[in-house]
Amino acid sequence: MATYQIRVARSGSDGATDSFTVELDHRMTVLDALFLIQREQDPTLSFRCSCRVGMCGTCAMRINWQPRLACQTRVLTLKADTIVVEPLAHLPVMKDLVVAMDPFFEQWKRVKPALHPDPKRDPKKLAVVPPTSEFGKQAQGKRDCITCGACYAACGIVGSNEEYLGPAAINKAMLRLMDPRDNAVDERLEELNDENGVWRCHTQFNCVAACPKGINLTDSIMKMKRSLLFPKKFHDKRNFVDNP
Ligand code: SF4
Ligand code: FES
């Protein structure tokens, strides 16, 4: 056990913080610390969580100035006696550490994240996508997004232009564009090629550093920039299946 000071931002942008002294085992996470504070010191402290195992993305917050998942951040790994906990940047604060995710999902919706199958395709016929195909290979490392918003909060471009699509939405669009079952090509390309689409990215890699799922978002954005020069390949989806 060790003693930690947990400095938590309280409601809004006026910079108000509250400090709590807590005894924590080194295996405990920042989320455990917040629960302890809520249980024993301040029941009004607000934060969001659900799965507690790094799967739902709801507990994303800034911990010592980095966007992280509170349930996956052990206090020991922070190597500090004082832990500063703040809401994610670039999103409106609802209360304490709870942010409204609307701006993130507004951009997410622009790229049509759901599968839009080709109506001409026989729904009974399974699309076989070999894992060695380009889509198969890209999907391996990039389909695990849990929409936590950490990349959005870390992105310097989002910070100066809230109309920018943001890294997660672009990564999602890339996967759908390569997916041989999907057909909403033109709509997605239009959003990506928009003045607030991929070209806004300045390749700062902040999103890559922030993503708790290890998704190489900058790679997806760079691939989209290159691919927009040859949009026809997205209409012939076999390119992503037959030519590994
Ligand atoms: S890409 Fe990573 S950081 Fe961004 S929303 Fe998805 S899981 Fe979170
Ligand atoms: S509580 Fe679900 S990712 Fe942390």
Side-chain angles (χ1 to χ4, degrees), residues 12-51:
S13 53
D14 60 1
T17 58
D18 279 340
S19 276
F20 302 92
T21 306
V22 284
E23 290 287 314
L24 300 173
D25 182 274
H26 66 275
R27 289 169 304 176
M28 289 171 82
T29 64
V30 172
L31 188 62
D32 293 326
L34 294 175
F35 271 116
L36 196 63
I37 293 167
Q38 195 186 53
R39 205 162 49 234
E40 297 182 354
Q41 301 190 44
D42 185 348
T44 69
L45 177 63
S46 299
F47 52 93
R48 200 186 265 140
C49 74
S50 179
C51 71

Side-chain angles (χ1 to χ4, degrees), residues 57 60 67 69 101 104 108 142 144-153 167-169 171 207-208 210-217:
L69 296 180
M101 294 294 287
F104 172 86
W108 181 258
K142 293 184 171 152
D144 293 336
C145 175
I146 54 174
T147 59
C148 68
C151 57
Y152 190 84
N171 179 65
C207 52
V208 181
C211 180
K213 292 294 170 185
I215 299 172
N216 191 340
L217 296 146

Side-chain angles (χ1 to χ4, degrees), residues 31 49-59 69-72 146:
L31 188 62
C49 74
S50 179
C51 71
R52 301 182 74 164
V53 290
M55 284 175 65
C56 72
T58 57
C59 69
L69 296 180
C71 73
Q72 297 298 290
I146 54 174

Side-chain angles (χ1 to χ4, degrees), residues 183-203:
N183 198 41
V185 173
D186 290 330
E187 299 93 315
R188 293 199 185 93
L189 290 180
E190 196 180 326
E191 294 296 343
L192 292 168
N193 211 9
D194 181 74
E195 63 173 319
N196 294 310
V198 293
W199 308 109
R200 285 276 164 194
C201 174
H202 289 195
T203 324

